[in-house]
Amino acid sequence: KQWYQRRVAITAGESLYAALTAFTDPGDEVILIEPHFDSYSVVVEVCGGKPVYVPLKPEGDPRNANNWVLDKAEFEGAFNSKTKLLMVNTPHNPIGKLFSAEEMEFIARTCEKHNVLIISDEVYERCVFPGHVHHRIATVPGAWDRTITVGSAGKSFSMTGYKLGWAIGPQELISKLQTVHQTA
């Protein structure tokens, strides 16, 4: 196989499902940043996992998406020996927040410290206003090895009825995702 066949999985809309299912075992805890896409917690629970919620909180005008912040102490306090995954969504749905490079660095370092995998839902990566920047958590040094990044042609090209998506990550993670994808 070519390098891209080992690091990219093309799916018919089930990349998030396949990623969560591939890595969530009964009893595992999965950190979800709230608010979040409603299917995250459902899939975690179907797999026997336990969703652990950490909210974004507004500092200042809540109508400004980037005023919604992650409380660092609360975020770090959500991790324990049962934590297996973190689900992060940027650009964020439904708030529209773009996590800053500094926030992504903090999130990646915290996951590294606790040996937690990251599923980064970046299906809205093309929906960024001029003057703003989308930062990928997988580009933080050391984060690639623990991150699956999910994208969507449907969201990127305003064809949401077309459930064409992809997952990008290291071969060891993508191969497990592909096993679920092939048998789902």
Side-chain angles (χ1 to χ4, degrees):
K1 288 185 175 182
Q2 298 293 322
W3 69 268
Y4 55 85
Q5 292 172 310
R6 295 186 306 266
R7 297 184 182 150
V8 179
I10 305 300
T11 65
E14 73 280 357
S15 293
L16 289 172
Y17 171 81
L20 283 166
T21 304
F23 296 100
T24 305
D25 294 318
D28 288 343
E29 293 187 3
V30 178
I31 296 176
L32 304 175
I33 299 172
E34 289 188 303
H36 59 78
F37 181 48
D38 58 2
S39 73
Y40 295 170
S41 55
V42 173
V43 175
V44 170
E45 290 171 349
V46 164
C47 294
K50 177 186 173 193
V52 176
Y53 303 103
V54 179
L56 290 171
K57 298 177 181 175
E59 287 186 354
D61 185 353
R63 294 173 296 178
N64 182 330
N66 289 322
N67 284 345
W68 290 79
V69 298
L70 199 57
D71 180 291
K72 289 182 177 182
E74 188 173 1
F75 182 71
E76 284 195 88
F79 288 78
N80 64 54
S81 62
K82 293 182 180 181
T83 306
K84 179 84 168 277
L85 292 167
L86 165 72
M87 190 77 210
V88 64
N89 174 225
T90 186
H92 191 273
N93 175 24
I95 294 174
K97 174 187 179 55
L98 289 162
F99 284 91
S100 69
E102 293 78 20
E103 289 171 310
M104 289 304 218
E105 174 83 23
F106 168 73
I107 292 168
R109 293 293 153 248
T110 304
C111 289
E112 182 178 35
K113 175 181 172 184
H114 295 280
N115 196 28
V116 168
L117 297 175
I118 302 165
I119 300 174
S120 186
D121 180 352
E122 299 183 19
V123 299
Y124 293 102
E125 66 183 309
R126 304 261 188 263
C127 302
V128 177
F129 291 111
H132 297 275
V133 178
H134 166 60
H135 299 281
R136 295 180 182 279
I137 198 162
T139 63
V140 173
W144 165 261
D145 293 335
R146 68 180 58 258
T147 304
I148 293 175
T149 302
V150 174
S152 167
K155 301 293 191 291
S156 294
F157 302 108
S158 300
M159 306 180 309
T160 55
Y162 291 91
K163 300 293 184 183
L164 179 61
W166 55 85
I168 302 168
Q171 180 178 349
E172 307 78 52
L173 300 181
I174 294 299
S175 65
K176 290 179 182 176
L177 180 149
Q178 286 175 320
T179 299
V180 171
H181 167 64
Q182 291 169 348
T183 59

